[in-house]
Amino acid sequence: MAAKVSIGVDIGGTNTEFGIVDGDGKVIERAMITTPKKDNINQFIDDLSTGIKRLVSKYSDFDYQGIGVGAPDGNFYKGTIEHASNLPFQGVIPFVSLLKERFPEMKKIALTNDANAAALGEMLYGGAKGMKNFIMITIGTGLGSGFVVNGELMYGSDGFAGELGHVTVTSEGRECGCGQFGHLETYCSATGMVRTAFELLSHHNATESLLANKSFNQTTSKDIFDAAKKGDEIALTVFEITGDILGQALADAVHISSPEAIFLFGGPVASGELLFKPVRESMESHLMPMFRGKVKVLPSRLRQGEAAILGASALVYK
Ligand SMILES: [Zn+2]
């Protein structure tokens, strides 16, 4: 009997990756196209479809279960990408319908937002195997989150539930990409960490800091990690502040959904205990007594480069 596989597609601001994933979560082969800079959705769908068809024809012996798509501002209920701030496509794109026109033979085509897809990946192939209640946090340019409650992803009435990145952690705080102020992701994303570093550099006039010689646009969260490992005071303080704010927000999330575990995914997670220690301490200190000492905060078990494709492919089975 032919092996059952699915196709995962991850639409990012710069690149769109896709691949064939087997039932054990192994990426058999993957490919990539550039996400267009201009709003030309039909050309993009054509290019993506051609790429997928090329892979499928190379592995024509498999039993294809469907295509799962992870995209920023993806709506699971409607199969649409809606007003995505990091993609060039304007308005509401009926992405699933457009793909179905190109793949009428596929049993299932589904779409969700990228953080929800990562949560599904963690549940099927990662550290959340067997868990019915957990939260996935993806830390990158922004902060995404997927809430799994009673074994199901929480979508809410309109399909957009679980936007922890846009809870307010400080009123009149930093400006967020969504247009509001003081949201979690303006502090606890990779870019938020850089913003914190530059505030500290300026405030302390820290000309001797290892972070003082690069421009704002050139600095990454990896630079902050590297500087912290060398004992740089500013970099160490960035981790303390980031962990403190994230831990507080996670405590709020625990109060709402009572997860077994919270998984952190993304570049800054490689910083290990520098990030996890202040996160755990802050979360515990903000928790109500009945939740204390129960909720694990863990690094994602999905591999950095594969998580998005894996998660999207898992959508076919949900
Ligand atoms: Zn926001």
Side-chain angles (χ1 to χ4, degrees), residues 10 21-27 30 113-129 134-139 146 148 262-267 269-270 276 298-315:
D10 169 47
V21 180
D22 74 9
D24 299 321
K26 183 168 165 275
V27 179
R30 53 200 273 189
N113 89 29
D114 37 7
N116 284 342
L120 285 178
E122 200 72 48
M123 185 155 65
L124 256 72
Y125 308 121
K129 260 186 200 167
F134 73 93
I135 302 171
M136 182 83 178
I137 306 284
T138 61
I139 306 173
V148 172
I262 299 170
F263 293 90
L264 306 187
F265 173 86
V269 175
F276 281 84
L298 302 167
S300 164
R301 295 247 303 265
L302 301 177
R303 269 198 297 275
Q304 187 76 25
E306 288 184 347
I309 288 178
L310 276 183
S313 77
L315 199 52

Side-chain angles (χ1 to χ4, degrees), residues 165-166 176-178 180 183:
H166 300 276
C176 187
C178 73
Q180 305 284 335
H183 284 178

Side-chain angles (χ1 to χ4, degrees), residues 13 34-35 47 50 95 213 222 270 301:
T34 310
T35 307
D47 292 348
T50 305
F95 204 86
N213 295 324
K222 172 81 164 48
R301 295 247 303 265

Side-chain angles (χ1 to χ4, degrees), residues 165-167 175-186:
H166 300 276
V167 298
E175 186 169 355
C176 187
C178 73
Q180 305 284 335
F181 288 84
H183 284 178
L184 180 65
E185 77 169 24
T186 68

Side-chain angles (χ1 to χ4, degrees), residues 4-117:
K4 286 184 178 175
V5 297
S6 62
I7 292 166
V9 179
D10 169 47
I11 303 175
T14 312
N15 293 312
T16 294
E17 294 194 72
F18 48 96
I20 301 172
V21 180
D22 74 9
D24 299 321
K26 183 168 165 275
V27 179
I28 292 164
E29 186 161 334
R30 53 200 273 189
M32 194 174 81
I33 58 170
T34 310
T35 307
K37 296 271 171 286
K38 292 211 171 81
D39 183 8
N40 190 345
I41 186 68
N42 286 316
Q43 184 65 49
F44 177 58
I45 295 267
D46 283 343
D47 292 348
L48 178 62
S49 302
T50 305
I52 292 173
K53 281 177 188 192
R54 200 173 290 145
L55 277 189
V56 170
S57 63
K58 187 170 170 188
Y59 296 93
S60 56
D61 291 345
F62 289 141
D63 179 9
Y64 287 87
Q65 302 299 299
I67 303 174
V69 182
D73 304 293
N75 186 315
F76 173 73
Y77 290 147
K78 297 179 188 159
T80 49
I81 298 173
E82 306 196 10
H83 311 286
S85 48
N86 292 322
L87 296 175
F89 314 122
Q90 307 288 312
V92 178
I93 308 293
F95 204 86
V96 167
S97 306
L98 292 170
L99 262 191
K100 275 183 176 159
E101 287 170 15
R102 272 81 169 179
F103 296 94
E105 74 285 3
M106 282 287 172
K107 293 172 196 163
K108 184 170 175 182
I109 300 181
L111 174 148
T112 191
N113 89 29
D114 37 7
N116 284 342

Side-chain angles (χ1 to χ4, degrees), residues 232-273:
D232 187 88
E233 284 294 330
I234 295 290
L236 289 167
T237 309
V238 171
F239 278 102
E240 276 168 32
I241 292 172
T242 307
D244 199 39
I245 298 172
L246 183 54
Q248 185 185 328
L250 293 184
D252 290 345
V254 169
H255 292 154
I256 292 167
S257 73
S258 182
E260 258 180 81
I262 299 170
F263 293 90
L264 306 187
F265 173 86
V269 175
S271 313
E273 285 306 299

Side-chain angles (χ1 to χ4, degrees), residues 119-167:
L120 285 178
E122 200 72 48
M123 185 155 65
L124 256 72
Y125 308 121
K129 260 186 200 167
M131 286 187 189
K132 292 217 174 298
N133 295 279
F134 73 93
I135 302 171
M136 182 83 178
I137 306 284
T138 61
I139 306 173
T141 313
L143 185 146
S145 57
F147 285 65
V148 172
V149 179
N150 302 331
E152 299 278 338
L153 256 177
M154 182 176 83
Y155 283 113
S157 64
D158 60 4
F160 291 117
E163 286 287 350
L164 195 67
H166 300 276
V167 298

